[in-house]
């Protein structure tokens, strides 16, 4: 069986978790603090600019709350994303406004987003789809023109680097990562908020621990307060030391092992499949971007056929994603034609660190056979 995605865990991770367990303090403690410092050092931001939480969805929710996004507000979101992005917006009481995407990247289409602005629009939530990076200057110009906050969903993109050599998360307003089991690095479950805005950092530090003031600092010392104040709504969204220990072990080998392996597999997919007429890749900079998923575009009828052929060979595929404006909760009664076309054409192929070049060759052969077969039928 070739899985679509899979975590990649070795002995180092198991030993790191053991160390956290041996300390006999399993909540949010010094491991979380040191994981945050490691992430900050990796990204090239100040040590206290990173706040870890228990999921990527929680990271987005808290980032939005820290911007003051609330009921009555609207947030522009590309419709092609994980439903967690939409749920994070609606969790604040605000309304996510689905926007169309660009056909060759699946990024939010700013021309379409412009049409969906209203006096209630407070933020834009771009998704760095598949791990490729949206044009940050365009986003900033757009946000500046309409006085919007930018909350980046970089759940797919940990480790991706902009053309100028800066890592995603190191510039911008607020960036959110996910460390879900199948993401570029994992802490079991987990996420992080990165921001250079001290007001945002201070708020999310409290929000992740039920709004208890200064509780993050006390927790870092494996302690808790009994006399405290709460001024705002908070949540139980903190990360545990067990998760942090796992995440730290993954981060330690990310540059030397996890990232190069993932990047090499994505490159090999291009070499192997790009020559096949009928298979289109999305735009990506494979020298700088760490792909989390490997979507390709295939004409609708052919996609169905290929999905079946791959399934027969025990090869899992996926479709990222069913556009959120198709979901009952987020449907607003308008059509987003590019996203709807992509929904019929996108097919995500296996991409994870247990995948081999031979696996990709096998997928290539199945593709070739299917396309040759179908040209004979014409
Ligand atoms: C994984 C993911 C999230 C949410 O992350 P979790 O850690 O699973 O909550 C958000 N947005 C996108 C695009 C994702 O892929």
């Amino acid at each position: 069986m070739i899985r679509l995605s899979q975590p990649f865990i070795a002995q180092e991770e198991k030993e790191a978790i053991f160390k956290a367990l041996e300390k006999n303090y399993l909540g949010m403690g010094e491991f979380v603090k040191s994981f945050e410092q490691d992430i900050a050092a990796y990204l090239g931001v100040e040590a206290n600019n990173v706040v870890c939480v228990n999921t990527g969805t929680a990271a987005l929710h808290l980032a939005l709350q820290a911007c003051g996004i609330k009921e009555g507000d609207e947030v522009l979101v590309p419709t092609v994303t994980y439903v967690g992005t939409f749920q994070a917006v609606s969790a604040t009481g605000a309304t996510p406004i689905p926007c169309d995407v660009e056909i060759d990247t699946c990024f939010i289409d700013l021309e379409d987003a412009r049409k969906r602005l209203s006096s209630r629009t407070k933020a834009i939530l771009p998704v760095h789809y598949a791990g490729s990076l949206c044009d940050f200057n365009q986003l900033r110009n757009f946000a500046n023109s309409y006085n919007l906050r930018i909350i980046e969903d970089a759940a797919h993109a940990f480790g991706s680097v902009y053309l100028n050599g800066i890592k995603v998360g190191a510039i911008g307003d607020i960036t959110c990562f996910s460390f879900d089991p199948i993401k570029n690095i994992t802490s079991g479950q987990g996420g992080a908020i990165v921001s250079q805005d001290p007001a945002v950092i201070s708020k999310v530090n409290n929000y992740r621990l039920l709004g208890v003031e200064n509780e993050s600092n006390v927790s870092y010392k494996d302690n808790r307060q009994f006399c405290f104040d709460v001024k705002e709504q908070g949540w139980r969204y903190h990360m545990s030391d067990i998760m942090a220990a796992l995440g730290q072990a993954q981060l330690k080998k990310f540059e030397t092992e996890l990232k190069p392996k993932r990047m090499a597999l994505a490159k090999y997919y291009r070499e192997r499949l790009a020559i096949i007429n009928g298979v289109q890749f999305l735009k990506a900079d494979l020298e700088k971007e760490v792909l989390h998923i490997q979507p390709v575009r295939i004409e609708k009828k052919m996609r169905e056929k290929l999905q079946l052929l791959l399934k027969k060979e025990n090869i899992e595929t996926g479709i990222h994603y069913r556009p959120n404006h198709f979901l009952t909760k987020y449907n607003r009664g308008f059509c987003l034609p590019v996203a709807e076309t992509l929904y019929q054409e996108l097919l995500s192929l296996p991409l994870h660190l247990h995948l081999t070049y031979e696996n990709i060759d096998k997928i290539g052969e199945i593709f070739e056979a299917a396309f040759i077969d179908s040209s004979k039928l014409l």
Side-chain angles (χ1 to χ4, degrees), residues 306-319:
L306 265 164
Q307 254 186 317
L308 281 174
L309 285 173
L310 290 163
K311 194 171 170 203
K312 258 208 303 214
E313 298 291 328
N314 265 324
I315 300 167
E316 255 184 7
T317 56
I319 294 170

Side-chain angles (χ1 to χ4, degrees), residues 159-165 259 263 285-290:
S160 289
V161 177
Y162 288 103
L163 270 179
N164 60 7
K259 173 174 152 175
M263 290 176 83
D285 181 346
L286 298 186
E287 301 301 325
K288 292 200 147 53
E289 295 168 345
V290 189

Side-chain angles (χ1 to χ4, degrees), residues 24 61 70 75 87 98 103 125 137 144 155 174 194 217 220 237 244 264 268 274 284 309 318 332 339 373 378:
N24 212 17
H61 179 194
K70 57 181 189 315
V75 178
Q87 285 281 8
I103 190 90
L125 206 172
N137 288 327
N144 286 347
I174 310 179
V194 185
N217 281 325
Y220 287 148
Y237 279 176
Y268 193 64
L309 285 173
R332 303 190 50 85
D373 195 34
L378 293 178

Side-chain angles (χ1 to χ4, degrees), residues 55-57 60 81-82 85 127 153 155-156 178 180 183 189-190 321:
T55 64
T57 306
L60 290 166
T81 184
Y82 182 52
T85 319
V127 177
D153 181 340
H156 292 183
S178 163
D180 169 280
K183 296 284 161 63
Q189 294 287 344
Y321 296 88

Side-chain angles (χ1 to χ4, degrees), residues 276-325:
I276 303 171
N277 232 336
V279 179
Q280 263 181 294
F281 284 80
L282 298 178
K283 257 203 270 180
D285 181 346
L286 298 186
E287 301 301 325
K288 292 200 147 53
E289 295 168 345
V290 189
L291 296 199
H292 157 58
I293 50 173
Q294 180 55 78
V296 292
R297 282 176 63 200
I298 304 157
E299 181 267 322
K300 182 179 169 231
K301 273 213 188 93
M302 199 59 188
R303 182 183 74 172
E304 278 165 28
K305 183 176 164 186
L306 265 164
Q307 254 186 317
L308 281 174
L309 285 173
L310 290 163
K311 194 171 170 203
K312 258 208 303 214
E313 298 291 328
N314 265 324
I315 300 167
E316 255 184 7
T317 56
I319 294 170
H320 294 97
Y321 296 88
R322 181 162 198 231
N324 281 270
H325 72 281

